[in-house]
Amino acid sequence: MQSPDQAPDARTPSPHDPPYLRGLNPPQREAVLTTEGPLLVLAGAGTGKTAALTARLAHLIATRRAYPSEILAVTFTNKAAREMKERVGRMMGGPQGSAEGLPWLGTFHAIGAKMLRRHAELVGLQSNFTILDTDDQLRLLKQLIQAADIDEKRWSARQLGGLIDRWKNKGLVPHDIDAGESEAFANGKGQQLYAAYQARLLALNACDFGDLLLHMLTLLKTDREVLAHYQQRFRYIMVDEYQDTNSSQYLWLRLLAQERKNICCVGDDDQSIYSWRGAQVENILKFEKDFPGAKIVKLEQNYRSTPHILAAASGVIAENGGRLGKTLWTDEADGEKVRIIGVWDGPEEARRVGEEIENHQRSGGTLDDVAILVRAQHQTREFEDRFIQIGMPYRIVGGFRFYERAEIRDALAYLRLVNQPADDLAFERIVNVPKRGLGDKAVEKLHRLARADRTPLTLAAARILDTDELTPQARRALGNFVGDLARWRDMAGQLPHPELARQILDESGYTAALQAERSTEAAGRLENLTELVRAMEEYETLGAFLEHVSLVMDNEAQAEARKVTIMTIHAAKGLEYDTVFLVGWEEGIFPSQRALDEGGIASLEEERRLAYVAITRARRRCIILHAANRRIYGQWTSSIPSRFVGELPKAHVDEESSLTGGASLWRANWSERDDPFADVARGSGRGPGWARAATAGQFVSEPARIVEARGSAVSIGNKGRSDIALGLRVFHQKFGYGIVAEIEGNKLEIDFETAGRKRVMDTFVSLG
């Protein structure tokens, strides 16, 4: 081992360098060899920050600046922690699994748990405390909500759990919650329930994941002896992905580092994309203020992408204010420019991507080299269906395939049961989804009766209502469910199947249950349901659609060696591919309208950072697609390209569509020769998607409303149209012309001239 006074020069390579320094560029060497005082390593995308971080850890040990147990190294994922342990173990040539041979290295939660078990009694726990998983946590919260006599349908356990998690991410204990914060749940009962929850956890000798850090943060703030112990113990602190720290993690690190100030934080303010998890980009931006005299080392040499790709990403991110700033560069050849492709609509976007991938295969490329990145999970459906059609294998990373998602399976179960009453598997899945008060015992009695009579569960359910086998509450709930099923089957012959699906999801209480959660995850599930209903519009009957889904699910079960990867941009962070397709780059989709509505300028800047992350996933080819028309809530609406398309430097992009007139806002051009329906839309200034919508009687009369709906977290079409009024003459594709007789939200009672009075959704009528 080297002694500290034998340490090599910071930026100048030498033949006598130890193995861990060989191959590092000068800024990486500087980051490794700057050991004393606060250090911020600004590591751009693909600049080798893991190599620098690991080499720095090895250097601290090799030069005997600290024993391994005196070094704290924090990562954000278990995968990153394992990789770093293995690398350091190889560099040091010692036993990789030895507690004495390696530092305190792990995620925030893992290290927090290790500390907390040593000091559990100081927070009222025993060292063998249990860490609750999400299901256990929700069960406990539900008990507390019921004990407080709060309507759980309005104020759900999941919503309360999300709120408590946010408070813990901010480092707030119950007595820190003021009246304003408490008002966020059950009209001011949030603080009371948080306190009751924490007390119940102590009584159970348990904690949740948020407590692993919060308890230790509280101890470091209030117990000087504990704080002094860890400040003395950790001679060096290293943190990866510092831009993703939340308030609790930030405060915890700052307390530990205040004594010695030997803290090295590695991160990239341009890749801070997790505010919805509590991450605060401000933590990295104010590093120099927190640690005066801090040194900043910038890693700017990129080892991943071509110059055109880096220039495109840099051009977009340069529009953000408040950056620490860096300029990525590479020794690679220029390569291909970033391609911008404009298409007519979503289905054509999927077809074009499929064709491009097939061309990639014909030229010798493999499917494993290709990724399709979407802004939201619901966007994957169009590509999945297209790839099933052409027999192209694919995988979904960071989530389920579209038709495998729980909310989609639930919705399909409702539709299967309406289409085929003898589908017992579908009945079992949704008989108590959402919760109707039908417990396991009630369902067991149904099964017994069905087996005894050799009848489907739906018939058994109807028969058991005439007995006293169920409790009054269960009988009432089951009766309502059976009645709903019968009514929906009657409606199936009268309504278009997409409209039927909307009504089932609404009237069953399924969308209301998701709305009550008021979380990002619930909003995403609602978007998926919207996309499911939209997918149904492409099939003539409900049966045809369900048959298609069955074929898709069968195909998904087939294993393939090489597959195209489809995932969200968030899931792609840290990954890289030779060819990357960035799809749906339109205003309202990306940047997300919902994000902009909720967060304003701050959210816009995070969306732009997300665009930067997306572009820098590409090694050789980056292809951006946008559509002139999108189907939103069953209606065609014109789309304009994302503002991020306009921010791409023109010198580094190639535009390949007649739709675009420069990488700025545009309108679609069309002609009779290009589109057989052009005469319908003549003079409208709208693209062929509008023409197709016109032939179906589905003009969008309020584009602004559709933009609002695209980004909102509301259920499927539950807002009423402001252009519909009582007495107005309207047109429905199936029932013809009629007069609006009643309006209830987005549901209309219409007296049709030939079909009589019908109840329909407002999205299925146009002004007559």
Side-chain angles (χ1 to χ4, degrees), residues 434-612:
K435 298 291 185 183
R436 297 187 175 88
L438 291 168
D440 293 339
K441 290 183 179 179
V443 175
E444 184 182 336
K445 290 176 181 177
L446 270 178
H447 274 285
R448 280 204 304 267
L449 181 58
R451 285 195 300 270
D453 292 348
R454 296 184 179 182
T455 59
L457 286 170
T458 48
L459 285 179
R463 290 176 182 173
I464 205 171
L465 294 174
D466 296 328
T467 72
D468 294 328
E469 290 195 44
L470 300 180
T471 65
Q473 178 186 357
R475 191 162 58 247
R476 184 168 53 252
L478 184 61
N480 291 336
F481 179 59
V482 170
D484 284 341
L485 287 175
R487 180 165 46 81
W488 293 330
R489 287 190 196 105
D490 290 339
M491 292 166 58
Q494 304 173 25
L495 294 181
H497 51 284
E499 186 171 344
L500 174 66
R502 285 187 176 94
Q503 296 218 179
I504 290 174
L505 291 169
D506 187 17
E507 294 174 3
S508 68
Y510 198 93
T511 52
L514 286 179
Q515 282 179 298
E517 293 183 18
R518 302 183 188 181
S519 65
T520 304
E521 293 80 7
R525 288 194 283 270
L526 286 165
E527 288 176 348
N528 290 338
L529 291 174
T530 302
E531 182 61 23
L532 175 72
V533 174
R534 200 198 70 72
M536 295 175 66
E537 296 165 2
E538 299 172 14
Y539 298 86
E540 289 188 9
T541 66
L542 177 58
F545 173 70
L546 292 174
E547 181 178 322
H548 163 75
V549 172
S550 298
L551 294 173
V552 169
M553 298 297 284
D554 180 63
N555 186 287
E556 288 174 354
Q558 300 174 15
E560 295 284 349
R562 296 184 181 276
K563 301 179 180 181
V564 176
T565 298
I566 308 176
M567 66 183 126
T568 65
I569 302 171
H570 283 99
K573 188 170 180 291
L575 303 177
E576 55 188 71
Y577 297 87
D578 276 357
T579 300
V580 172
F581 292 91
L582 307 178
V583 298
W585 277 44
E586 297 133 36
E587 285 294 305
I589 294 178
F590 189 44
S592 160
Q593 190 63 42
R594 186 176 70 235
L596 300 186
D597 290 344
E598 293 175 357
I601 295 298
S603 287
L604 172 59
E605 296 211 337
E606 180 158 332
E607 292 286 295
R608 190 174 280 116
R609 293 193 291 269
L610 200 56
Y612 171 84

Side-chain angles (χ1 to χ4, degrees), residues 169 401 714 720:
N169 285 341
R401 292 171 183 254
V714 299

Side-chain angles (χ1 to χ4, degrees), residues 38 57 157 250 374 396 407 415 425 469 598 607 623 673 713 741:
L57 192 52
Y250 162 78
V374 299
I396 300 291
E407 64 277 7
L415 296 172
L425 293 176
E469 290 195 44
E598 293 175 357
E607 292 286 295
I623 303 167
R673 183 184 59 194

Side-chain angles (χ1 to χ4, degrees), residues 135 152 298 327 336 360 424 437 448 517 551 590 596 603 627:
D135 287 343
E152 199 200 350
K298 297 182 180 181
T327 303
E336 299 179 16
H360 171 75
D424 283 357
R448 280 204 304 267
E517 293 183 18
L551 294 173
F590 189 44
L596 300 186
S603 287

